Amino acid sequence: MGNYLLRRLIVAVPSLLGISLILFVLLALAPGDPFGELATNPNVPPEVREALRIKFGMNDPVLLRYVHWLVAMFQGDWGFSFASRVNVDTLILQRIPTTLYVVGTAQILALAVALPVGVLAARRPYSIFDQIANTFAFIGFSLPTFFTGLLLILIFSVNLGWLPFVYRADLQATGWQWWWESIKQAIMPITVLGLYQAASYTRYVRSAVLDVIKLDYVTTARAKGLDERKVIVKHVVRNALIPVVTLVALQMPTVFGGAIVTEQIFRIPGIGSLLISAILANDTPVIMAVTFVFACLVVLFNLIADILYGWLDPRISFR
Amino acid sequence: MNERDLRSQIADVKAGRLSRREFVQRMIAVGLTAPMAGAMLSYSGAAVAADAIPYKPTKAGGGGPLKLLLWQAPTLLNPHFAIGTKDQEASRLFYEPLAGWDKEGNLVPILAAEIPSKENGGLAADGMSVTWKLKKGVKWHDGKPFTADDVIFNWEYANNPETSAVSIGSYKNVKSIEKIDDLTVKLVFPQPTPFWADAFVASFGCIIPKHHFADYIGAKSREAPANLKPVGTGPYMFVDFKPGDTVAGKRFPDYHVPTQPYFDTVEIKGGGDAVSAARAVLQTGEYDYAYNLQVEDEILTKLEAGGQGKTELTLTGNIEYIGLNVTDPNVEVDGERASLKTKHPLFSDPEVRRAINLLIDRASVQKFIYGRAGVATPNFLNNPERYRSKNNSFEFSIEKANQILDAAGWKKGASGIREKDGKPLKFVFQTSINGPRQKNQAIIKQACQKAGIDVELKSVVASVFFSSDVANPDTYTHFYCDMQMYQTTMPQADPQFFMNQFTSWECATKENKWQGRNVCRWQNNDYDETYKLAQSELDPVKRAALFIKLNDLVVRDNYVLPEINRLNAIGVKNGMVLYKSGWDNDLAFIASWYRAS
């Protein structure tokens, strides 16, 4: 297995290099620059914008800039944001906790809903429970998060006035008050994201379980007189989890990458909103760093999924 | 309005027949900025001290938290690096200039002990220097005293091109600074400078401490730790900053105005969009203030029905205007489109330009698009009032436009489009993507159609349109089409920088990488000469008359068609009392904000 891991990691290097080159060139070709806002301010002489471009190396040839970036990256220097002149790693680290809290909790909520509902629905297909679950799942993933987000805001913030709709990373309260407020402000975004995810997971779990539940070995297990719960948990769910693990593992990068739309609606200072504002401001180093981290996570979680397969089903060996 | 009118009005003010405020408002009506009007009065010896900024609380503190919502999040806290208003506003919590501008465009001393004038010996008669006296007993947040050395340091810092300070424009016109004593500095200009109140005044005038930045001047400017942890003289001390998200501060107990500020803590939250920011203040009352509500008036009115807050509007000089291309965007000369060597084939006929001006339904645009937040205007220079020309008016008449075009020999062809010498009246009209702008474009297109002019609408994403990207032909400074519309801002109360955008040396060309500010490429010798006169004219009355003339010269040639003078709309929660001037940052006087009980 050590060998296998090593091989996979070595293969990942050229693909990450390729990804970074494509990203960099695309960003360099994109129009606009981070100092656009200075353009309409008559007090700022145009030479200043030009000087800033030169100073930040934006007038160099693309490949040269890419090499600079790559070399710096290898030395652990992620560069600094053109817009805020803060180091990019500081900027990202500042936002990771919020993203993990909100998006991570939402994923846990999604799994906590999807697993039991999916399994129960598959156990008795086309029963009333299955039909209701299916309908909700269908509605759930048809409604985009910006719609449900606004709907919740209108109901719970504007009409009822129960929950705040501006998420604050710097709550000033302490002790229990702090806990209470951080939970209160996270309820809406977590619900929106969690239920959206839960809807698609439910469909996946249901169909995976349906595939397995009809197989001969399950019938055999039942015929042996095993307890129904044991059959489901030990024989059915374990095997049905393989496709679900793939799905969840590939979703993990988005947990770190944040939920762009939801973060924007609720003003959550997460990675997603960092990426959006960096794109709007043409802040290349930040976009580069965030998307590159994203690419690394995808590669990493693919690997983790492959390893999990082997654990769930020893027949899938590492070669 | 000419010089004689102005003089008689000033005489009226002196004699008490006309109130100072009334005078300033009249001046704004003729296209001057309020600060210019103030300067005019003070130069003519009719100066009264600026009205005190209203403030009721009798002691500092006790006001609890102040929550501000800026939907564009602040990304940095050094005023010399501020990329947009958002950064200037956030820096203003911690840093202060020597003086700021009030509503009427008068200078209000902040770190200065008094405003320099001829009477107190601050202003040299020849306009070559100005002497600022600093307020006594001002402390930095870390307890060190604020002195003349700090002021001089800021000039050195911003003036060094290696620092890449965006404020360099305000400081490079100062030749040298002399330290008279610890609390007095003398600025020396290379030429007579009527607008001396630029360096050290308002947003780019904010002063940073020498003892924290001295080691980070020039190329190392980015590395200063204080860039992220400001130490200033302002009413609030730094607590926390997350770029692109929040800025937090707490009351500075040693603030140089003993009864200020009222609030104990301050928090700026950023991000999101203008509509939801308006909602958080006007409808749910979660926040005390939201800035720059570029939201259609109809929506604002609906949100105000929530009863938690209201919209406040402030005059500015910002102008939404339509520019007609003077040069030909479709012909290439020496590898350059819209070259100064060409002339626009259709707009070179003044009657066509006149007709188009008549086809802009300014009144409807104001009524149906901008509502309370915009005033239809024929002038480019609208505010402060003392610079606003009264000589112009606008009219919307499809009938007249038709008559003019008929008379000029533009005949309607088979398709209903007018043409002359085989050239049809067809234009490409571009602007940035933005709800009100697209509606505005549609209104103009419709009217043009009725007059036999075919207008093709084009809209460009704002981040591209307003970028300085040399390689992109769609930026507004390239102006590779026939007409374009956008808003140009007037951040200062003095129109000198504002009006330089029509001088011939500012034309945006390939040579200056389209960095020039004269985007329509309109050129006029009379304008250039008048501008140069205004630049060094010390008598504010004469100077105002010159600016009014400049406005009239541009506007009457019909290449530049002003449309809407935009007001600045902010959301304010009920009970908040805040002083805000259209000539300075929203947060310029935040020390005086309070909540009425």
Side-chain angles (χ1 to χ4, degrees), chain A residues 66-79:
Chain A
Y66 176 68
V67 172
H68 281 316
W69 178 83
L70 200 65
V71 170
M73 201 74 174
F74 271 123
Q75 293 162 348
D77 175 8
W78 295 45

Side-chain angles (χ1 to χ4, degrees), chain A residues 39-120:
Chain A
T40 45
N41 186 339
N43 290 8
V44 181
E47 305 93 80
V48 173
R49 279 196 291 164
E50 194 53 29
L52 280 169
R53 285 182 68 99
I54 292 170
K55 186 171 178 178
F56 291 166
M58 295 173 69
N59 285 354
D60 299 340
V62 181
L63 279 180
L64 185 68
R65 281 163 63 194
Y66 176 68
V67 172
H68 281 316
W69 178 83
L70 200 65
V71 170
M73 201 74 174
F74 271 123
Q75 293 162 348
D77 175 8
W78 295 45
F80 63 92
S81 152
F82 291 158
S84 60
R85 315 207 184 172
V86 175
N87 288 335
V88 173
D89 43 356
T90 322
L91 220 50
I92 293 180
L93 285 177
Q94 244 170 18
R95 286 164 180 257
I96 288 253
T98 313
T99 300
L100 286 185
Y101 167 46
V102 175
V103 192
T105 317
Q107 286 284 334
I108 294 171
L109 172 74
L111 284 174
V113 172
L115 279 176
V117 171
V119 172
L120 281 178

Side-chain angles (χ1 to χ4, degrees), chain A residues 31-33 36-43 46 48-49 55 80 83-86 94-95 165 167-168 267 269, chain B residues 75-76 83-84 162 164 168 222 228 243-245 267 269 271 273 276 286 466 468-469 472 476 489 492 515 517:
Chain A
D33 77 12
E37 217 171 318
L38 297 178
T40 45
N41 186 339
N43 290 8
V48 173
R49 279 196 291 164
K55 186 171 178 178
F80 63 92
S84 60
R85 315 207 184 172
V86 175
Q94 244 170 18
R95 286 164 180 257
F165 71 91
Y167 187 100
R168 297 166 60 198
R267 289 185 165 82
Chain B
T75 51
L76 48 85
I83 290 180
E162 286 279 291
S164 305
I168 189 170
R222 192 187 73 81
L228 297 172
D245 178 35
E267 174 207 315
K269 169 80 185 174
D273 59 299
S276 76
E286 254 177 76
F466 293 115
S468 57
D469 194 337
N472 198 308
Y476 78 110
T489 53
Q492 272 168 331
Q515 303 282 313
R517 295 186 51 232

Side-chain angles (χ1 to χ4, degrees), chain A residues 33 85 143 170 182 201 207 213 234 278 311:
Chain A
D33 77 12
R85 315 207 184 172
L143 292 178
D170 66 328
S182 7
Y201 283 170
S207 73
I213 212 163
K234 284 216 159 152
W311 174 71

